Amino acid sequence: MNPESKSNSTNLSIKTEYTSSISTKLSPPGSPISYTHSLNFSYRTSDLHNFYILTPWIALLLVFIPLGYVAYANHWGGTWIFVLNFLAIIPLAILFEYATDDISLRFGQPAGDLLVVTFSNTVEIIISTTALKVGQIQVVQASILGSIILNLLLVLGISFTRGGISSKTQKFNQIAAQTNSNLMALACIALIIPAAFASSLKTPDDYNEKLLYFSYGTAIVLLIIYVLYLVFQLKTHSHIFQRGRKEIEKPKLPLVISLILLTTVTIAVAFSEFLVGSIEEVVDTFGISRTFIGLIILPIVNKSSHLLHTLSAAAEDEIDLDFTISLAAGSSMHIAFFVSPLLVILGWITGKEMTLFFQVFETIILFISVMMTNYLVQNGESNWLKGALFLATYIIVAIAFFFYPNIPIKPLRKNT
């Protein structure tokens, strides 16, 4: 198909022109002044795609925000509270991401992409902090791994599969993808070593104290690596992360409105304690594990905007692999090198036993996901079969954790 015809088919234009100007020709005093008004309004379907927060189903999901509060206030039961607040957070995450995207257009690349990646995990940080506050360590740890796995397997799987259907082979920025993959390998190492470290400790006292302090030290190292990565991405090697844009996008909202939207949504997401507080009742009612809720269900809420963007781009056949890989890998890196150590340090400050020691099964799953991603992106090309491998792996992981037993975490301190 001719590129021009494809563009015309996806960017239909509806133009209404109404001329507007003021004619000030010399005329005799007292004679009427003639006015000619001109207004040029152009609307494209691609604008609607970008401004998807106005779609009817997103507006419908906003109804669940007050319903979630009503369910909690009137004690409708844990299941109803969980489901209604789960649905309520989805439009909030989408609104937050939209405002972030709009603000990021005011910056150049790769600063704009970094801003999107950084703020895209705000909803997750709020929910994880809430869970940490009430002692749901298992849910917090599973949510960290789940968001990384969803980004690497599900988001990339959808993009590679849809892009491979349209063209046999697609190219992407191999150096940037490989850099992110190498850093994710380090994140794996940072989670595998605590498991090996814990297994080598024999006495409870050693296990209790040394594992905690080992996690605190590792968290600080990961934060330092994250800062070094920012310098690498924004300063010394920014050219690696540059990607071309088909057209120059402009912000659609005034900066003040975007900031107000971000603030409002952040306050609204703070009510996620209703969702977190109902997890125990859902676990008891349906017999599913906390790990499954944290690793599969909560990341769908946290990354709902990523999924929507990916599915929308796939439906319109407008997959931009460089952007998708930047978003998925960048978000995973931000979680591994900023969110997880931040939560460990917050646990340190608040007296919660949040560590980087994950269950062995969870650590193996993360290792498999990162290694598979590293292997499939190393040649800088994608096809639909690679996408199918990503999706198949994610489905197998979801099935495995659905049947995963509820194994409580042993307290590390004696007086807790």
Side-chain angles (χ1 to χ4, degrees):
M1 181 183 287
N2 170 326
E4 184 178 354
S5 63
K6 181 177 179 181
S7 174
N8 291 338
S9 65
T10 55
N11 295 315
L12 301 176
S13 294
I14 303 173
K15 293 190 178 180
T16 303
E17 294 190 358
Y18 179 61
T19 314
S20 175
S21 61
I22 300 178
S23 175
T24 56
K25 294 180 180 180
L26 294 176
S27 54
S31 62
I33 301 176
S34 66
Y35 295 88
T36 308
H37 300 279
S38 170
L39 174 62
N40 184 14
F41 170 73
S42 176
Y43 177 82
R44 298 182 306 165
T45 54
S46 61
D47 291 337
L48 179 61
H49 169 71
N50 292 328
F51 201 64
Y52 53 76
I53 61 172
L54 295 180
T55 56
W57 74 271
I58 296 294
L60 178 63
L61 286 175
L62 293 173
V63 175
F64 291 103
I65 298 175
L67 285 178
Y69 179 79
V70 170
Y72 175 80
N74 291 280
H75 309 287
W76 286 3
T79 302
W80 278 108
I81 294 173
F82 183 87
V83 171
L84 291 175
N85 283 281
F86 176 90
L87 295 172
I89 292 177
I90 292 175
L92 292 174
I94 292 171
L95 287 170
F96 191 95
E97 186 102 0
Y98 179 81
T100 303
D101 288 345
D102 199 73
I103 292 175
S104 71
L105 295 176
R106 302 171 189 276
F107 300 88
Q109 291 179 340
D113 289 347
L114 178 64
L115 184 67
V116 171
V117 166
T118 302
F119 280 93
S120 67
N121 293 314
T122 301
V123 173
E124 178 166 10
I125 292 174
I126 294 173
I127 294 177
S128 296
T129 303
T130 303
L132 180 64
K133 184 175 65 175
V134 298
Q136 290 279 9
I137 307 295
Q138 206 165 0
V139 173
V140 175
Q141 290 182 328
S143 178
I144 290 170
L145 294 186
S147 294
I148 294 174
I149 291 170
L150 182 144
N151 278 321
L152 296 181
L153 299 182
L154 186 57
V155 172
L156 290 184
I158 294 171
S159 300
F160 279 25
T161 303
R162 183 62 183 90
I165 292 173
S166 300
S167 57
K168 290 185 178 181
T169 303
Q170 286 187 307
K171 304 280 188 179
F172 53 82
N173 188 334
Q174 180 183 359
I175 298 177
Q178 199 64 47
T179 300
N180 289 328
S181 296
N182 292 339
L183 286 166
M184 284 307 303
L186 174 60
C188 267
I189 293 171
L191 296 181
I192 291 172
I193 290 178
F197 180 84
S199 66
S200 66
L201 299 177
K202 303 300 181 183
T203 65
D205 289 338
D206 284 344
Y207 183 89
N208 293 350
E209 296 299 325
K210 292 183 178 179
L211 184 59
L212 283 170
Y213 289 115
F214 173 80
S215 296
Y216 301 152
T218 304
I220 293 172
V221 172
L222 291 178
L223 287 174
I224 293 172
I225 292 295
Y226 184 70
V227 173
L228 294 178
Y229 171 73
L230 295 183
V231 175
F232 182 85
Q233 183 181 13
L234 297 177
K235 194 74 176 173
T236 63
H237 291 72
S238 59
H239 61 281
I240 294 177
F241 300 90
Q242 291 288 345
R243 57 182 179 84
R245 285 183 176 176
K246 295 179 181 178
E247 60 179 15
I248 299 176
E249 300 177 59
K250 295 182 179 180
K252 297 179 177 60
L253 298 176
L255 180 59
V256 175
I257 300 298
S258 296
L259 293 175
I260 291 174
L261 184 58
L262 282 177
T263 305
T264 304
V265 171
T266 302
I267 294 172
V269 174
F271 289 100
S272 60
E273 61 180 298
F274 304 155
L275 175 73
V276 173
S278 61
I279 288 177
E280 284 301 320
E281 190 169 338
V282 171
V283 168
D284 294 337
T285 302
F286 295 98
I288 58 179
S289 67
R290 298 177 191 86
T291 304
F292 178 77
I293 291 176
L295 199 138
I296 301 298
I297 296 179
L298 289 185
I300 293 175
V301 179
N302 299 333
K303 302 301 176 187
S304 54
S305 184
H306 288 192
L307 288 172
L308 177 64
H309 179 276
T310 303
L311 292 171
S312 299
E316 297 290 336
D317 192 15
E318 294 179 353
I319 297 289
D320 181 349
L321 278 186
D322 281 331
F323 176 74
T324 302
I325 293 174
S326 170
L327 186 65
S331 180
S332 297
M333 258 203 29
H334 186 260
I335 292 169
F337 287 92
F338 179 77
V339 176
S340 58
L342 175 65
L343 292 171
V344 169
I345 291 174
L346 285 177
W348 186 8
I349 294 171
T350 59
K352 303 296 180 182
E353 298 174 351
M354 176 67 190
T355 70
L356 292 175
F357 171 50
F358 292 74
Q359 298 299 320
V360 175
F361 182 63
E362 299 169 9
T363 308
I364 291 173
I365 293 296
L366 177 64
F367 176 78
I368 291 171
S369 302
V370 172
M371 289 303 101
M372 170 171 263
T373 304
N374 193 15
Y375 176 73
L376 293 180
V377 304
Q378 66 182 355
N379 65 348
E381 296 180 354
S382 75
N383 53 58
W384 65 264
L385 182 58
K386 286 186 177 181
L389 294 177
F390 277 126
L391 294 176
T393 306
Y394 185 79
I395 293 171
I396 292 171
V397 168
I399 294 172
F401 278 104
F402 181 78
F403 294 105
Y404 190 70
N406 234 337
I407 303 174
I409 295 178
K410 181 176 66 175
L412 299 180
R413 293 190 179 97
K414 296 178 180 179
N415 300 320
T416 53

